[in-house]
Amino acid sequence: MAGLRVGVADLRRHPGQRQIIERDVELDGVEVSTAAVPSGSPGHLDVVLESLSDGVAVSGRLSVPWEGPCRRCLEQTSGVEVVELREVFSDSPVDDDLLSIDGDVIDLGPVVRDAAVLALPVAPLCGEDCLGPDPDHFPVGTGDGAERAVDPRWSALDELRFDPGVPDPLE
Ligand SMILES: [Zn+2]
């Protein structure tokens, strides 16, 4: 990912010093099976870099635009997820939780991309009050949508999800 390599030489000369990175980031191609970042819609990165004695801490937020089919009505829906970023780039990473500093440069690209993938909803919902398939769009007896809408196994599942006593595993 271009433009997300950040020089930290100056920052590192002053432990405790902070540097704000705020910019749009290209997330084209980031997707999971249930949702994707719309082509041409940038995410927005807003993080603070902080110089540590043996590395650089990165913390802040990433906004990720997404689109995908609603899990109930199957209509295309979209939204923006915001995820927290918290990473440490270290001179000498001792475990997998730490990223390494490449010379005096840290590369936020992979961090941003991984976070964006995790931010995408695995069960998109067009609205909390979505009632499911619109009968006008899925008339009984035609197409996959209709079979799905009237399949008793699916209605049983819907009743389960709507029962306030049973937590929705997808929420
Ligand atoms: Zn819906």
Side-chain angles (χ1 to χ4, degrees):
M1 187 180 295
L4 284 175
R5 291 172 61 81
V6 179
V8 292
D10 278 355
L11 183 70
R12 302 210 61 197
R13 278 188 209 108
H14 309 283
Q17 185 167 316
R18 287 158 170 253
Q19 177 182 349
I20 293 171
I21 305 280
E22 189 187 355
R23 63 176 69 159
D24 284 346
V25 290
E26 194 207 294
L27 297 175
D28 281 10
V30 172
E31 62 181 346
V32 294
S33 62
T34 48
V37 174
S39 161
S41 297
H44 192 77
L45 181 67
D46 184 1
V47 293
V48 175
L49 311 187
E50 183 172 1
S51 178
L52 308 174
S53 57
D54 58 351
V56 174
V58 179
S59 61
R61 278 179 299 280
L62 174 70
S63 304
V64 182
W66 60 268
E67 63 184 6
C70 172
R71 72 170 187 261
R72 287 184 195 154
C73 68
L74 308 180
E75 293 284 340
Q76 195 72 0
T77 186
S78 62
V80 176
E81 293 291 325
V82 178
V83 282
E84 298 281 326
L85 291 182
R86 201 164 290 277
E87 301 285 350
V88 173
F89 288 81
S90 169
D91 290 321
S92 47
V94 289
D95 63 46
D96 292 342
D97 288 342
L98 300 178
L99 299 153
S100 61
I101 297 177
D102 177 13
D104 281 323
V105 173
I106 62 173
D107 186 359
L108 293 174
V111 169
V112 164
R113 220 163 171 86
D114 286 355
V117 169
L118 290 175
L120 291 175
V122 294
L125 194 59
C126 66
E128 286 303 324
D129 55 352
C130 177
L131 297 176
D134 181 340
D136 290 342
H137 287 200
F138 301 101
V140 173
T142 61
D144 291 346
E147 282 164 32
R148 190 171 159 138
V150 298
D151 188 321
R153 288 169 298 174
W154 282 98
S155 12
L157 203 58
D158 276 349
E159 278 160 30
L160 261 183
R161 286 190 191 149
F162 282 117
D163 183 340
V166 180
D168 186 338
L170 295 173
E171 290 292 349

Short mmCIF file of all heavy atoms in Angstrom, two decimals, residues 69-75 77 124-127 129-133, ligand 1:
data_model
loop_
_atom_site.label_atom_id
_atom_site.label_comp_id
_atom_site.label_asym_id
_atom_site.label_seq_id
_atom_site.Cartn_x
_atom_site.Cartn_y
_atom_site.Cartn_z
N PRO A 69 -24.52 -7.38 1.03
CA PRO A 69 -25.95 -7.70 1.16
C PRO A 69 -26.37 -7.86 2.62
O PRO A 69 -25.68 -8.48 3.41
CB PRO A 69 -26.07 -9.04 0.41
CG PRO A 69 -24.70 -9.64 0.47
CD PRO A 69 -23.72 -8.51 0.56
N CYS A 70 -27.50 -7.26 2.95
CA CYS A 70 -28.08 -7.42 4.29
C CYS A 70 -28.35 -8.90 4.55
O CYS A 70 -28.86 -9.61 3.69
CB CYS A 70 -29.38 -6.62 4.38
SG CYS A 70 -30.32 -6.92 5.90
N ARG A 71 -28.02 -9.37 5.75
CA ARG A 71 -28.17 -10.80 6.04
C ARG A 71 -29.63 -11.23 6.13
O ARG A 71 -29.94 -12.41 6.04
CB ARG A 71 -27.44 -11.15 7.33
CG ARG A 71 -28.09 -10.65 8.60
CD ARG A 71 -27.41 -11.25 9.83
NE ARG A 71 -28.10 -10.94 11.05
CZ ARG A 71 -27.74 -9.99 11.89
NH1 ARG A 71 -26.70 -9.24 11.62
NH2 ARG A 71 -28.41 -9.79 13.00
N ARG A 72 -30.54 -10.28 6.35
CA ARG A 72 -31.95 -10.66 6.47
C ARG A 72 -32.71 -10.48 5.16
O ARG A 72 -33.39 -11.37 4.70
CB ARG A 72 -32.61 -9.85 7.58
CG ARG A 72 -32.19 -10.30 8.97
CD ARG A 72 -32.96 -9.55 10.05
NE ARG A 72 -32.33 -9.72 11.35
CZ ARG A 72 -32.44 -8.86 12.33
NH1 ARG A 72 -33.15 -7.75 12.17
NH2 ARG A 72 -31.85 -9.06 13.50
N CYS A 73 -32.63 -9.26 4.56
CA CYS A 73 -33.46 -8.99 3.38
C CYS A 73 -32.67 -9.17 2.09
O CYS A 73 -33.26 -9.13 1.00
CB CYS A 73 -34.05 -7.59 3.45
SG CYS A 73 -32.86 -6.26 3.30
N LEU A 74 -31.35 -9.34 2.19
CA LEU A 74 -30.48 -9.57 1.03
C LEU A 74 -30.34 -8.34 0.13
O LEU A 74 -29.69 -8.40 -0.91
CB LEU A 74 -30.96 -10.76 0.19
CG LEU A 74 -31.18 -12.06 0.97
CD1 LEU A 74 -31.64 -13.17 0.03
CD2 LEU A 74 -29.91 -12.47 1.70
N GLU A 75 -30.94 -7.21 0.52
CA GLU A 75 -30.73 -5.97 -0.24
C GLU A 75 -29.31 -5.47 0.01
O GLU A 75 -28.76 -5.64 1.10
CB GLU A 75 -31.73 -4.90 0.22
CG GLU A 75 -33.17 -5.19 -0.10
CD GLU A 75 -33.50 -4.96 -1.58
OE1 GLU A 75 -32.74 -4.23 -2.24
OE2 GLU A 75 -34.49 -5.53 -2.05
N THR A 77 -26.55 -3.16 1.14
CA THR A 77 -26.52 -2.12 2.16
C THR A 77 -25.07 -1.69 2.36
O THR A 77 -24.16 -2.30 1.80
CB THR A 77 -27.16 -2.62 3.47
OG1 THR A 77 -27.24 -1.54 4.39
CG2 THR A 77 -26.36 -3.75 4.09
N PRO A 124 -23.73 -8.35 7.67
CA PRO A 124 -24.27 -7.00 7.46
C PRO A 124 -25.77 -6.95 7.70
O PRO A 124 -26.48 -7.93 7.44
CB PRO A 124 -23.97 -6.72 5.98
CG PRO A 124 -22.89 -7.68 5.60
CD PRO A 124 -23.10 -8.89 6.46
N LEU A 125 -26.23 -5.83 8.22
CA LEU A 125 -27.65 -5.63 8.49
C LEU A 125 -27.99 -4.22 8.01
O LEU A 125 -27.31 -3.28 8.34
CB LEU A 125 -27.89 -5.77 9.99
CG LEU A 125 -29.32 -5.93 10.49
CD1 LEU A 125 -29.97 -7.16 9.88
CD2 LEU A 125 -29.32 -6.04 12.01
N CYS A 126 -29.08 -4.10 7.19
CA CYS A 126 -29.40 -2.78 6.64
C CYS A 126 -29.95 -1.86 7.72
O CYS A 126 -29.87 -0.64 7.61
CB CYS A 126 -30.36 -2.90 5.47
SG CYS A 126 -31.99 -3.50 5.92
N GLY A 127 -30.53 -2.46 8.77
CA GLY A 127 -31.04 -1.67 9.89
C GLY A 127 -31.50 -2.62 10.97
O GLY A 127 -31.89 -3.76 10.67
N ASP A 129 -34.12 -2.73 12.44
CA ASP A 129 -35.54 -3.07 12.30
C ASP A 129 -35.83 -3.83 11.01
O ASP A 129 -36.98 -3.99 10.61
CB ASP A 129 -36.40 -1.81 12.36
CG ASP A 129 -35.96 -0.78 11.31
OD1 ASP A 129 -34.91 -1.01 10.67
OD2 ASP A 129 -36.66 0.23 11.16
N CYS A 130 -34.77 -4.30 10.33
CA CYS A 130 -34.99 -5.03 9.08
C CYS A 130 -35.85 -6.26 9.35
O CYS A 130 -35.58 -7.04 10.26
CB CYS A 130 -33.66 -5.46 8.48
SG CYS A 130 -33.88 -6.45 6.98
N LEU A 131 -36.91 -6.41 8.56
CA LEU A 131 -37.86 -7.50 8.80
C LEU A 131 -37.60 -8.73 7.94
O LEU A 131 -38.34 -9.70 8.00
CB LEU A 131 -39.28 -7.00 8.56
CG LEU A 131 -39.73 -5.89 9.52
CD1 LEU A 131 -41.12 -5.40 9.14
CD2 LEU A 131 -39.70 -6.38 10.96
N GLY A 132 -36.59 -8.66 7.09
CA GLY A 132 -36.30 -9.81 6.24
C GLY A 132 -36.72 -9.55 4.82
O GLY A 132 -36.98 -8.42 4.43
N PRO A 133 -36.79 -10.62 4.03
CA PRO A 133 -37.06 -10.46 2.60
C PRO A 133 -38.37 -9.74 2.34
O PRO A 133 -39.38 -10.01 2.97
CB PRO A 133 -37.13 -11.90 2.09
CG PRO A 133 -36.40 -12.71 3.11
CD PRO A 133 -36.60 -12.01 4.42
ZN ZN B 1 -32.24 -5.75 5.50
#
